[in-house]
Amino acid sequence: DPDKGIDITIFPDDKFSANVMIDYNSKVLGHQYANLGKMHEFENEIEVGMGPFEVMTDFQDRIWVLCEGSFDRGIPGSLYRVDTDLFVASRWVQFPAVAARMTWDGSLYIYVIAGRNIQRVFTPNPNQVTSWLQAAEGTVLRGIQADGASGEVFTVVNISGQQNGELRHYNRSGELITSTPVGINPHRIIFEY
């Protein structure tokens, strides 16, 4: 497609391989290359949704993968549970908005930021997903972390019209305990024990 600057070249071969080069046509960004040559090298990979970006394990050593989307059309955010014995992943929960961050409370719940909501996922049963907290208008949820000892949840938010963000501390029921101003565009909360 000369209008979009896209060139695709296909060569006959007895096996599949793909070589991709992206030219951003920029002095700042260089060329980006990717190569897929031997499919057998990927036998032990597990397929999850589109844009996987956060991975964690729970107390039963189950692996959870949060994805920006699913291969099914119309599903913007998904949480996958990986069965390491069978080496397969299954979509455990889908969200009505793009999922951004997740945390585990040390017991049975995973909290996921999806759009302006925090969803609470009951890990033994994917049908028990509740909207745990909704951010106020003009507030953007940026990060979340649960304290495994107390089960309390901390979020960092950006508030439109303000330069600094806020760290907010909630009890297990979702009631605000305290809030503290923090730096510009906070993203992550890390506990030091």
Side-chain angles (χ1 to χ4, degrees), residues 61 71 89 107:
D61 289 329
F71 291 114
S107 63

Side-chain angles (χ1 to χ4, degrees), residues 44-121:
N44 293 329
E45 292 200 1
I46 299 173
E47 183 177 290
V48 294
M50 296 183 338
F53 61 90
E54 203 153 9
V55 178
M56 69 177 189
T57 59
D58 64 15
F59 66 97
Q60 293 180 347
D61 289 329
R62 291 179 296 207
I63 298 171
W64 298 89
V65 181
L66 187 63
C67 299
E68 292 176 353
S70 176
F71 291 114
D72 301 336
R73 294 187 184 271
I75 300 174
S78 299
L79 179 64
Y80 286 78
R81 188 176 82 174
V82 177
D83 184 329
T84 53
D85 293 330
L86 299 175
F87 218 63
V88 295
S90 57
R91 185 177 63 227
W92 197 249
V93 177
Q94 60 193 40
F95 302 104
V98 173
R101 296 271 182 247
M102 71 176 168
T103 186
W104 172 56
D105 74 351
S107 63
L108 297 174
Y109 293 99
I110 294 175
Y111 295 84
V112 176
I113 295 175
R116 288 185 39 239
N117 293 300
I118 296 176
Q119 306 287 329
R120 185 165 74 174
V121 179

Side-chain angles (χ1 to χ4, degrees), residues 140-157:
V140 179
L141 291 159
R142 304 288 261 169
I144 187 167
Q145 186 67 44
D147 181 354
S150 68
E152 295 175 338
V153 177
F154 296 80
T155 64
V156 284
V157 299

Side-chain angles (χ1 to χ4, degrees), residues 97-185:
V98 173
R101 296 271 182 247
M102 71 176 168
T103 186
W104 172 56
D105 74 351
S107 63
L108 297 174
Y109 293 99
I110 294 175
Y111 295 84
V112 176
I113 295 175
R116 288 185 39 239
N117 293 300
I118 296 176
Q119 306 287 329
R120 185 165 74 174
V121 179
F122 184 59
T123 57
N125 185 346
N127 297 321
Q128 292 184 6
V129 178
T130 57
S131 183
W132 184 73
L133 180 77
Q134 183 171 5
E137 192 67 40
T139 302
V140 179
L141 291 159
R142 304 288 261 169
I144 187 167
Q145 186 67 44
D147 181 354
S150 68
E152 295 175 338
V153 177
F154 296 80
T155 64
V156 284
V157 299
N158 282 355
I159 303 166
S160 63
Q162 295 184 14
Q163 280 199 341
N164 290 337
E166 278 186 1
L167 171 68
R168 295 181 177 173
H169 176 193
Y170 297 91
N171 65 17
R172 283 181 184 248
S173 302
E175 298 165 342
L176 182 65
I177 297 172
T178 60
S179 65
T180 306
V182 293
I184 297 172
N185 292 326

